[in-house]
Short mmCIF file of all heavy atoms in Angstrom, two decimals:
data_model
loop_
_atom_site.label_atom_id
_atom_site.label_comp_id
_atom_site.label_asym_id
_atom_site.label_seq_id
_atom_site.Cartn_x
_atom_site.Cartn_y
_atom_site.Cartn_z
N SER U 1 -6.40 -43.93 -39.67
CA SER U 1 -5.63 -43.60 -38.43
C SER U 1 -4.41 -44.48 -38.30
O SER U 1 -3.54 -44.18 -37.33
CB SER U 1 -6.57 -43.92 -37.24
OG SER U 1 -7.62 -42.96 -37.24
N ALA U 2 -4.14 -45.41 -39.17
CA ALA U 2 -2.94 -46.22 -39.11
C ALA U 2 -1.69 -45.33 -39.32
O ALA U 2 -1.76 -44.51 -40.30
CB ALA U 2 -3.10 -47.37 -40.10
N GLY U 3 -0.61 -45.69 -38.72
CA GLY U 3 0.53 -44.88 -38.87
C GLY U 3 1.19 -44.60 -37.56
O GLY U 3 0.51 -44.49 -36.49
N PHE U 4 2.47 -44.27 -37.52
CA PHE U 4 3.14 -44.07 -36.31
C PHE U 4 2.77 -42.70 -35.64
O PHE U 4 2.71 -41.73 -36.36
CB PHE U 4 4.66 -44.24 -36.41
CG PHE U 4 5.43 -43.73 -35.19
CD1 PHE U 4 5.49 -44.56 -34.07
CD2 PHE U 4 6.14 -42.48 -35.14
CE1 PHE U 4 6.19 -44.19 -32.95
CE2 PHE U 4 6.76 -42.10 -34.04
CZ PHE U 4 6.86 -42.87 -32.95
N ALA U 5 2.65 -42.72 -34.39
CA ALA U 5 2.46 -41.54 -33.54
C ALA U 5 3.21 -41.71 -32.25
O ALA U 5 3.35 -42.70 -31.69
CB ALA U 5 0.95 -41.15 -33.30
N PRO U 6 3.81 -40.69 -31.72
CA PRO U 6 4.75 -40.78 -30.54
C PRO U 6 4.12 -41.42 -29.33
O PRO U 6 4.66 -42.19 -28.61
CB PRO U 6 5.10 -39.27 -30.17
CG PRO U 6 5.07 -38.60 -31.43
CD PRO U 6 3.83 -39.21 -32.30
N TRP U 7 2.77 -41.17 -29.17
CA TRP U 7 2.08 -41.71 -27.91
C TRP U 7 1.95 -43.23 -28.00
O TRP U 7 1.79 -43.84 -26.97
CB TRP U 7 0.71 -41.09 -27.71
CG TRP U 7 -0.22 -41.26 -28.98
CD1 TRP U 7 -0.91 -42.42 -29.30
CD2 TRP U 7 -0.58 -40.26 -29.94
NE1 TRP U 7 -1.59 -42.21 -30.41
CE2 TRP U 7 -1.42 -40.91 -30.93
CE3 TRP U 7 -0.21 -39.01 -30.15
CZ2 TRP U 7 -1.99 -40.23 -32.02
CZ3 TRP U 7 -0.68 -38.42 -31.29
CH2 TRP U 7 -1.58 -38.96 -32.18
N GLN U 8 2.11 -43.77 -29.17
CA GLN U 8 2.02 -45.19 -29.31
C GLN U 8 3.11 -46.03 -28.73
O GLN U 8 2.99 -47.15 -28.35
CB GLN U 8 1.93 -45.62 -30.79
CG GLN U 8 0.80 -45.13 -31.53
CD GLN U 8 0.96 -45.19 -33.03
OE1 GLN U 8 1.93 -45.86 -33.65
NE2 GLN U 8 0.00 -44.83 -33.87
N LEU U 9 4.17 -45.32 -28.36
CA LEU U 9 5.29 -45.89 -27.57
C LEU U 9 4.84 -46.32 -26.17
O LEU U 9 5.44 -47.28 -25.66
CB LEU U 9 6.54 -44.89 -27.44
CG LEU U 9 7.16 -44.52 -28.74
CD1 LEU U 9 8.10 -43.35 -28.56
CD2 LEU U 9 7.93 -45.73 -29.40
N VAL U 10 3.88 -45.61 -25.69
CA VAL U 10 3.29 -46.03 -24.35
C VAL U 10 1.89 -46.78 -24.39
O VAL U 10 1.66 -47.75 -23.81
CB VAL U 10 3.17 -44.79 -23.40
CG1 VAL U 10 2.45 -45.12 -22.19
CG2 VAL U 10 4.56 -44.16 -23.27
N THR U 11 1.04 -46.15 -25.30
CA THR U 11 -0.35 -46.75 -25.28
C THR U 11 -0.36 -48.08 -25.84
O THR U 11 -1.26 -48.85 -25.37
CB THR U 11 -1.21 -45.82 -26.22
OG1 THR U 11 -0.64 -45.76 -27.53
CG2 THR U 11 -1.31 -44.39 -25.73
N SER U 12 0.55 -48.51 -26.68
CA SER U 12 0.55 -49.90 -27.18
C SER U 12 0.74 -50.92 -26.08
O SER U 12 0.32 -52.05 -26.21
CB SER U 12 1.71 -50.11 -28.25
OG SER U 12 2.94 -49.80 -27.70
N ALA U 13 1.40 -50.49 -25.10
CA ALA U 13 1.68 -51.44 -23.93
C ALA U 13 0.44 -51.78 -23.04
O ALA U 13 0.53 -52.62 -22.15
CB ALA U 13 2.79 -50.84 -23.05
N PHE U 14 -0.70 -50.95 -23.33
CA PHE U 14 -1.95 -51.26 -22.58
C PHE U 14 -2.94 -51.94 -23.50
O PHE U 14 -4.17 -52.14 -22.99
CB PHE U 14 -2.51 -49.97 -21.99
CG PHE U 14 -1.59 -49.36 -20.90
CD1 PHE U 14 -0.56 -48.50 -21.22
CD2 PHE U 14 -1.77 -49.77 -19.58
CE1 PHE U 14 0.22 -48.03 -20.12
CE2 PHE U 14 -0.89 -49.28 -18.54
CZ PHE U 14 -0.10 -48.42 -18.82
N LEU U 15 -2.61 -52.28 -24.58
CA LEU U 15 -3.45 -53.01 -25.57
C LEU U 15 -3.04 -54.45 -25.69
O LEU U 15 -1.89 -54.71 -25.66
CB LEU U 15 -3.60 -52.27 -26.94
CG LEU U 15 -3.96 -50.82 -27.01
CD1 LEU U 15 -3.82 -50.38 -28.41
CD2 LEU U 15 -5.37 -50.78 -26.47
N HIS U 16 -4.00 -55.35 -25.87
CA HIS U 16 -3.70 -56.89 -26.06
C HIS U 16 -4.56 -57.38 -27.10
O HIS U 16 -5.66 -57.03 -27.36
CB HIS U 16 -3.81 -57.48 -24.73
CG HIS U 16 -2.82 -57.19 -23.71
ND1 HIS U 16 -2.90 -56.14 -22.93
CD2 HIS U 16 -1.60 -57.73 -23.45
CE1 HIS U 16 -1.79 -56.01 -22.13
NE2 HIS U 16 -0.99 -57.04 -22.48
N GLY U 17 -3.96 -58.32 -27.88
CA GLY U 17 -4.59 -58.91 -29.06
C GLY U 17 -5.70 -59.98 -28.65
O GLY U 17 -6.52 -60.23 -29.50
N SER U 18 -5.67 -60.54 -27.45
CA SER U 18 -6.57 -61.56 -27.10
C SER U 18 -6.57 -61.64 -25.57
O SER U 18 -5.76 -61.16 -24.91
CB SER U 18 -6.23 -62.96 -27.73
OG SER U 18 -5.01 -63.38 -27.13
N LEU U 19 -7.58 -62.45 -25.10
CA LEU U 19 -7.68 -62.61 -23.71
C LEU U 19 -6.37 -63.41 -23.20
O LEU U 19 -5.92 -63.13 -22.04
CB LEU U 19 -8.94 -63.33 -23.34
CG LEU U 19 -9.24 -63.64 -21.82
CD1 LEU U 19 -9.28 -62.39 -21.06
CD2 LEU U 19 -10.52 -64.47 -21.62
N MET U 20 -6.00 -64.39 -24.01
CA MET U 20 -4.85 -65.21 -23.53
C MET U 20 -3.57 -64.29 -23.46
O MET U 20 -2.73 -64.45 -22.62
CB MET U 20 -4.64 -66.35 -24.57
CG MET U 20 -3.40 -67.22 -24.21
SD MET U 20 -3.62 -68.07 -22.58
CE MET U 20 -4.84 -69.20 -22.96
N HIS U 21 -3.45 -63.45 -24.55
CA HIS U 21 -2.30 -62.54 -24.55
C HIS U 21 -2.24 -61.68 -23.23
O HIS U 21 -1.21 -61.56 -22.51
CB HIS U 21 -2.37 -61.63 -25.72
CG HIS U 21 -1.21 -60.79 -25.94
ND1 HIS U 21 -1.28 -59.57 -26.70
CD2 HIS U 21 0.05 -60.82 -25.50
CE1 HIS U 21 -0.15 -59.00 -26.79
NE2 HIS U 21 0.76 -59.65 -26.02
N LEU U 22 -3.43 -61.10 -22.86
CA LEU U 22 -3.49 -60.44 -21.61
C LEU U 22 -3.30 -61.27 -20.46
O LEU U 22 -2.51 -60.73 -19.56
CB LEU U 22 -5.00 -59.74 -21.48
CG LEU U 22 -5.25 -59.06 -20.20
CD1 LEU U 22 -4.54 -57.75 -20.02
CD2 LEU U 22 -6.82 -58.92 -20.10
N ALA U 23 -3.82 -62.40 -20.31
CA ALA U 23 -3.66 -63.28 -19.14
C ALA U 23 -2.17 -63.59 -18.95
O ALA U 23 -1.60 -63.54 -17.82
CB ALA U 23 -4.46 -64.55 -19.40
N LEU U 24 -1.51 -63.92 -20.05
CA LEU U 24 -0.05 -64.35 -19.81
C LEU U 24 0.82 -63.16 -19.38
O LEU U 24 1.56 -63.38 -18.40
CB LEU U 24 0.43 -64.81 -21.14
CG LEU U 24 -0.04 -66.25 -21.53
CD1 LEU U 24 0.45 -66.52 -23.05
CD2 LEU U 24 0.42 -67.35 -20.67
N ASN U 25 0.52 -61.99 -19.85
CA ASN U 25 1.34 -60.81 -19.39
C ASN U 25 1.00 -60.52 -17.94
O ASN U 25 1.88 -60.20 -17.17
CB ASN U 25 1.07 -59.62 -20.26
CG ASN U 25 1.96 -59.67 -21.51
OD1 ASN U 25 2.98 -60.21 -21.57
ND2 ASN U 25 1.34 -59.11 -22.65
N MET U 26 -0.36 -60.54 -17.59
CA MET U 26 -0.63 -60.14 -16.20
C MET U 26 -0.21 -61.23 -15.24
O MET U 26 0.05 -60.83 -14.11
CB MET U 26 -2.27 -59.89 -16.15
CG MET U 26 -2.67 -58.74 -16.96
SD MET U 26 -1.82 -57.17 -16.58
CE MET U 26 -0.63 -57.06 -17.97
N VAL U 27 -0.26 -62.43 -15.54
CA VAL U 27 0.25 -63.51 -14.66
C VAL U 27 1.76 -63.24 -14.35
O VAL U 27 2.31 -63.36 -13.27
CB VAL U 27 0.08 -64.86 -15.22
CG1 VAL U 27 0.97 -65.92 -14.45
CG2 VAL U 27 -1.34 -65.29 -15.15
N GLY U 28 2.48 -62.95 -15.42
CA GLY U 28 3.90 -62.48 -15.26
C GLY U 28 4.15 -61.39 -14.42
O GLY U 28 5.05 -61.39 -13.55
N LEU U 29 3.31 -60.38 -14.65
CA LEU U 29 3.43 -59.16 -13.82
C LEU U 29 3.13 -59.33 -12.41
O LEU U 29 3.74 -58.92 -11.54
CB LEU U 29 2.60 -58.02 -14.42
CG LEU U 29 2.84 -56.56 -14.05
CD1 LEU U 29 4.35 -56.23 -14.44
CD2 LEU U 29 1.95 -55.60 -14.74
N TYR U 30 2.12 -60.06 -12.13
CA TYR U 30 1.69 -60.34 -10.78
C TYR U 30 2.73 -61.32 -10.07
O TYR U 30 3.04 -61.07 -8.82
CB TYR U 30 0.26 -61.14 -10.81
CG TYR U 30 -0.17 -61.63 -9.49
CD1 TYR U 30 -0.73 -60.71 -8.50
CD2 TYR U 30 0.12 -62.99 -9.08
CE1 TYR U 30 -1.15 -61.10 -7.34
CE2 TYR U 30 -0.43 -63.38 -7.70
CZ TYR U 30 -1.01 -62.46 -6.90
OH TYR U 30 -1.41 -62.88 -5.67
N SER U 31 3.25 -62.32 -10.80
CA SER U 31 4.27 -63.21 -10.20
C SER U 31 5.57 -62.58 -9.80
O SER U 31 6.13 -62.88 -8.72
CB SER U 31 4.49 -64.35 -11.16
OG SER U 31 3.34 -65.08 -11.43
N PHE U 32 6.02 -61.63 -10.55
CA PHE U 32 7.36 -61.08 -10.34
C PHE U 32 7.37 -59.69 -9.91
O PHE U 32 8.30 -59.22 -9.29
CB PHE U 32 8.18 -61.17 -11.62
CG PHE U 32 8.38 -62.56 -12.16
CD1 PHE U 32 7.65 -63.03 -13.38
CD2 PHE U 32 9.17 -63.49 -11.44
CE1 PHE U 32 7.84 -64.33 -13.83
CE2 PHE U 32 9.26 -64.83 -11.94
CZ PHE U 32 8.58 -65.25 -13.10
N GLY U 33 6.36 -58.97 -10.20
CA GLY U 33 6.23 -57.46 -9.98
C GLY U 33 6.18 -57.14 -8.45
O GLY U 33 6.61 -56.12 -7.99
N ARG U 34 5.59 -57.98 -7.62
CA ARG U 34 5.36 -57.69 -6.27
C ARG U 34 6.64 -57.59 -5.56
O ARG U 34 6.94 -56.62 -4.81
CB ARG U 34 4.44 -58.66 -5.60
CG ARG U 34 2.96 -58.71 -6.18
CD ARG U 34 2.26 -59.89 -5.57
NE ARG U 34 2.76 -61.17 -5.97
CZ ARG U 34 2.56 -62.33 -5.45
NH1 ARG U 34 1.57 -62.44 -4.45
NH2 ARG U 34 2.97 -63.48 -5.93
N ASP U 35 7.56 -58.64 -5.67
CA ASP U 35 8.77 -58.58 -5.05
C ASP U 35 9.71 -57.53 -5.55
O ASP U 35 10.56 -56.86 -4.72
CB ASP U 35 9.46 -60.02 -5.22
CG ASP U 35 8.78 -61.07 -4.33
OD1 ASP U 35 8.15 -60.71 -3.30
OD2 ASP U 35 8.87 -62.28 -4.77
N VAL U 36 9.60 -57.27 -6.85
CA VAL U 36 10.48 -56.21 -7.38
C VAL U 36 10.10 -54.83 -6.78
O VAL U 36 10.90 -53.92 -6.42
CB VAL U 36 10.52 -56.16 -8.93
CG1 VAL U 36 11.27 -55.00 -9.48
CG2 VAL U 36 11.01 -57.53 -9.48
N GLU U 37 8.83 -54.63 -6.76
CA GLU U 37 8.28 -53.31 -6.22
C GLU U 37 8.64 -53.18 -4.78
O GLU U 37 8.98 -52.08 -4.24
CB GLU U 37 6.76 -53.19 -6.29
CG GLU U 37 6.28 -51.88 -5.86
CD GLU U 37 4.78 -51.61 -6.07
OE1 GLU U 37 4.14 -52.52 -6.74
OE2 GLU U 37 4.28 -50.57 -5.67
N ASP U 38 8.57 -54.34 -3.93
CA ASP U 38 8.90 -54.24 -2.62
C ASP U 38 10.47 -53.91 -2.40
O ASP U 38 10.80 -53.15 -1.43
CB ASP U 38 8.71 -55.64 -1.93
CG ASP U 38 7.24 -55.93 -1.49
OD1 ASP U 38 6.55 -54.95 -1.52
OD2 ASP U 38 6.90 -57.08 -1.39
N ALA U 39 11.24 -54.42 -3.32
CA ALA U 39 12.69 -54.15 -3.20
C ALA U 39 13.00 -52.77 -3.61
O ALA U 39 13.94 -52.11 -3.05
CB ALA U 39 13.58 -55.23 -4.06
N LEU U 40 12.39 -52.26 -4.72
CA LEU U 40 12.81 -50.98 -5.19
C LEU U 40 12.07 -49.77 -4.61
O LEU U 40 12.51 -48.67 -4.74
CB LEU U 40 12.61 -50.93 -6.75
CG LEU U 40 13.54 -51.92 -7.64
CD1 LEU U 40 13.13 -51.76 -9.15
CD2 LEU U 40 14.96 -51.46 -7.40
N GLY U 41 10.82 -49.98 -4.07
CA GLY U 41 9.97 -49.00 -3.77
C GLY U 41 9.05 -48.62 -5.01
O GLY U 41 9.46 -48.86 -6.10
N SER U 42 7.89 -48.08 -4.73
CA SER U 42 6.84 -47.95 -5.76
C SER U 42 7.37 -46.89 -6.83
O SER U 42 7.15 -47.12 -7.97
CB SER U 42 5.64 -47.42 -5.17
OG SER U 42 5.01 -48.31 -4.23
N ARG U 43 8.00 -45.84 -6.48
CA ARG U 43 8.44 -44.84 -7.35
C ARG U 43 9.50 -45.40 -8.39
O ARG U 43 9.35 -45.27 -9.59
CB ARG U 43 8.97 -43.51 -6.78
CG ARG U 43 9.28 -42.40 -7.71
CD ARG U 43 9.62 -41.22 -6.92
NE ARG U 43 10.76 -41.23 -6.16
CZ ARG U 43 11.34 -40.30 -5.45
NH1 ARG U 43 10.70 -39.05 -5.52
NH2 ARG U 43 12.42 -40.46 -4.69
N ARG U 44 10.46 -46.10 -7.84
CA ARG U 44 11.45 -46.64 -8.69
C ARG U 44 10.93 -47.83 -9.49
O ARG U 44 11.34 -48.07 -10.66
CB ARG U 44 12.65 -47.18 -7.93
CG ARG U 44 13.64 -46.08 -7.54
CD ARG U 44 14.98 -46.58 -7.06
NE ARG U 44 16.05 -45.60 -7.08
CZ ARG U 44 17.31 -45.83 -6.65
NH1 ARG U 44 17.58 -47.04 -6.18
NH2 ARG U 44 18.21 -44.85 -6.76
N TYR U 45 9.94 -48.63 -8.98
CA TYR U 45 9.45 -49.66 -9.66
C TYR U 45 8.67 -49.18 -10.86
O TYR U 45 8.66 -49.65 -12.05
CB TYR U 45 8.43 -50.40 -8.82
CG TYR U 45 7.68 -51.54 -9.45
CD1 TYR U 45 8.45 -52.67 -9.93
CD2 TYR U 45 6.38 -51.50 -9.79
CE1 TYR U 45 7.77 -53.72 -10.69
CE2 TYR U 45 5.70 -52.49 -10.54
CZ TYR U 45 6.43 -53.61 -10.89
OH TYR U 45 5.85 -54.67 -11.63
N LEU U 46 7.82 -48.02 -10.63
CA LEU U 46 7.10 -47.46 -11.83
C LEU U 46 8.08 -46.91 -12.90
O LEU U 46 7.88 -47.17 -14.04
CB LEU U 46 6.27 -46.34 -11.48
CG LEU U 46 5.44 -45.52 -12.47
CD1 LEU U 46 4.53 -46.58 -13.19
CD2 LEU U 46 4.63 -44.46 -11.80
#
């Protein structure tokens, strides 16, 4: 199954190599994403 496929451009962003990897990314998203979503609105933020 190894090899490039177009859906990987999106699906790879929901996979993480370790719990620490996940935690660092989610802390960043939680810390900065709330204010950015408030400023842009949910649709533009997405």
Side-chain angles (χ1 to χ4, degrees):
S1 297
F4 172 74
W7 58 79
Q8 296 169 358
L9 296 168
V10 175
T11 58
S12 59
F14 291 92
L15 301 175
H16 290 83
S18 68
L19 181 59
M20 180 60 70
H21 186 201
L22 172 71
L24 288 173
N25 277 333
M26 295 306 100
V27 167
L29 200 56
Y30 177 80
S31 299
F32 302 108
R34 294 172 299 167
D35 287 332
V36 175
E37 183 175 356
D38 284 342
L40 294 178
S42 295
R43 184 170 62 179
R44 277 192 166 184
Y45 177 71
L46 179 60

